[in-house]
Amino acid sequence: MAWTVVDSRRVLSAREQQILEMIAAGLSAKEVADQIGIAPRTVDRHVEHIRLKLCARNRVHMITQAMLDGVLDLNIAGDTYVAPSPMVQPSAKRAHWQVPRHRPSRIG
């Protein structure tokens, strides 16, 4: 059976949307369950349904997919999303990107 999602926002129930937002904010299934008064296993089932509806491979992909689809707002808990700075910085002396290198130490 193939799933075709036209608009993910119409597919998620209100409870699934609530759980998606809480998981995206970093709460565990147990913490979500305690806050909304359901069993942790029920939260896990909701997460699995959300993951399948968004065609995601895992929870991280589920959150990413939800943000890309516009299902999940980047302004969670009042914090404004700021893109992380790149780990690789351009070298001032060279025109190419320089990646820090680590040399293995010789044991003598």
Side-chain angles (χ1 to χ4, degrees):
M1 175 183 198
W3 286 74
T4 304
V5 179
V6 176
D7 185 0
S8 298
R9 285 171 283 208
R10 288 185 279 178
V11 175
L12 297 182
S13 69
R15 178 65 86 179
E16 289 170 341
Q17 183 70 37
Q18 178 187 23
I19 290 173
L20 175 64
E21 291 172 3
M22 295 174 90
I23 294 292
L27 275 69
S28 68
K30 185 178 182 331
E31 291 168 330
V32 171
D34 290 343
Q35 284 195 13
I36 61 178
I38 60 176
R41 181 69 183 127
T42 305
V43 173
D44 288 334
R45 295 293 295 170
H46 280 300
V47 169
E48 185 65 14
H49 290 153
I50 296 165
R51 190 185 65 74
L52 291 173
K53 287 179 179 182
L54 296 176
C55 302
R57 293 181 297 272
N58 53 44
R59 286 183 183 214
V60 174
H61 189 223
M62 176 183 75
I63 300 302
T64 304
Q65 203 57 40
M67 290 187 322
L68 291 173
D69 290 348
V71 177
L72 185 62
D73 187 11
L74 295 177
N75 190 6
I76 298 173
D79 294 332
T80 304
Y81 176 78
V82 177
S85 61
M87 293 178 66
V88 180
Q89 297 293 328
S91 172
K93 297 178 184 176
R94 300 181 196 153
H96 68 277
W97 290 87
Q98 183 176 356
V99 179
R101 298 180 190 187
H102 301 283
R103 290 186 133 177
S105 60
R106 293 186 183 205
I107 300 175

